[in-house]
Each structure stands twice: as structure tokens, then as C-alpha cells.
Amino acid sequence: MPWPEGYGRVICQEVGSTLDEAVRLAQAEAAPFWVLAHRQTAARGRRGRPWAMPEGNFAATLVLRHYQAPGVAALRSFVMSLALREAFVEVCGREDAFALKWPNDVLLRGGKVAGILLESAGHGRAVGPLAIGVGVNLVAAPKPDEVEAGAIPPVSLRETTGQTVGAEVFLDALARAYAPLEQQFSTLGFAPIRAAWLQHAARLGETVVARTGREEITGTFEDVDSSGNLMLRTSKELRAIAAADVFF
Ligand SMILES: O=C(O)CCCC[C@@H]1SC[C@@H]2NC(=O)N[C@@H]21
């Protein structure tokens, strides 16, 4: 299957973080383009946490040059989550093994196999370029003491399924999966993406705990609304949560 038309691709052996490399390359390279690195020496995860990247794992960033309100741009994490699931199914053929955890993780048999981090160089109401960083535990998962206490345990594709997939092979699958979903998002908006995401959502209808930094909210995961908020039914009310870490 061919590389998607209109998307550039840069392969690096080693960078600090593909997110930083992507922003640097965006000064000369026409977006959209992907940057893959075989090694990262200073990878970061959500909320400023370090991201462990054992050799052989996947690290890439997609750069989109567009100018949208931050709330719209942030919905790309759902687009990328869906693309990741499709790529996983393509490379290892297991439809039922993968689930999507709000807001932007992919689970493999209940363990975290991939994470997404969106960053933008925009100011105020405008966003651009948007950098969507993707990390996938292809061959090894970080050690338990390298992740936050209480977090979903990390797993790797190889250790869980026995299948070994190279980073460049995975990039091909992910880029091919992402391109039509991006097209759908830009023409039809969030509604079809949201519907597809909900079909694969982890723990929908179950009790979860959302930690926002200011409070801890326990409730039933009822929905994701049209702005991408987590909708939690607590004992008192239906809460729309824009940003949180979710624990099962
Ligand atoms: O915390 C998370 O779950 C998000 C992890 C995102 C990691 C990826 S690896 C490629 C890109 N470069 C980085 O420094 N981080 C992201």
C-alpha cells in the first residue's frame, strides 16, 4: 500500500524529542509531514512527564499546518487514537484486542500500548503548526517504576502478542490510517470521529475516576460530548471534564 499522497516523511536515527524536531523542521518542510526517530534522548509525555523509550519502540510526530481554535485542534487526539487502532489492527490483525482510553491512550488487552501528546506553537485563539506526538511500545514497555503510581500498566505489542513490528513498518500503517480520517475530520467535523471513537472506548458505561489536578471525580463514564469532553455521571450531576487523567 502506498504512502499517503500529500504527506512528507522524515526518518531520523536519534533526536531529543520528535516533537521538538518537528517544530524545527516545520520552518523549512511543508506540512503535513511525519518525523520518525529510532531513538529519543529526551522524550516527554503528558503533563510534563518523561516518556521512556526502550530501543525498538515507535516515536513519531505528525505536523499539521492549520489555523484553528485550540479546542478544535485538540480533537485531533481522537483522530490519531482511531488511526492508531486501525494501524494496530492492520499490522497484527487482532480486531478485539485494542481499546481507546479517554483522552488519548490506546490499550492492548487492558495495558497502555500507546500514548499521544499534542503540542502547538500557536498563540491566543489561533493554533499552528500542530504537532501530534505518538509513542508506541512496539517491543518493550517501560518498567513499572517508570510510570506514575496507579497508572494503567504499560504493555508492549511484542510482549503481549508475540508479534514484532518495526517502527518504519508501523509508521507506514499509521500514516495510511491517519490520512483518510484527517480528511473526514476536516470535511465532516468531529461527529463521525466521535461516533467511531465511542465504538472502541474503554470502560464506557463503567465507573472511572478522573483526576484533574484540582479534584478527583468518580462517576459513570457516560459519553464524550461534541467538544471531546469526558461526560461523567456522578452521584449529584453530569459533569463535562475537559482535561484529566482517568483511572479505572
Ligand atoms: O504521556 C503520554 O501518554 C504521551 C506520550 C507521547 C510520547 C511521544 S514519543 C514521540 C513524541 N515525542 C515526544 O517527546 N513525545 C511524543
Side-chain angles (χ1 to χ4, degrees), residues 17-19 40 43-46 51 59-61 105 112 115-116 133-135:
S17 157
T18 58
L19 284 159
Q40 291 185 115
R44 55 183 177 271
R46 291 177 64 223
W51 176 259
T61 291
D105 291 336
K112 176 166 170 171
I116 298 167
V134 181

Side-chain angles (χ1 to χ4, degrees), residues 148-217:
E148 194 193 1
I152 302 279
V155 297
S156 78
L157 191 69
R158 184 167 71 188
E159 289 156 344
T160 309
T161 67
Q163 285 168 283
T164 304
V165 177
E168 294 189 30
V169 170
F170 193 79
L171 176 64
D172 280 0
L174 182 59
R176 280 198 308 271
Y178 185 86
L181 290 166
E182 172 62 32
Q183 177 67 22
Q184 185 185 51
F185 181 67
S186 15
T187 51
L188 302 175
F190 184 48
I193 297 291
R194 171 178 167 270
W197 191 95
L198 282 167
Q199 282 185 351
H200 301 292
R203 306 293 175 119
L204 191 62
E206 296 182 29
T207 301
V208 302
V209 176
R211 284 190 202 139
T212 67
R214 284 196 315 274
E215 59 181 332
E216 187 170 292
I217 307 151

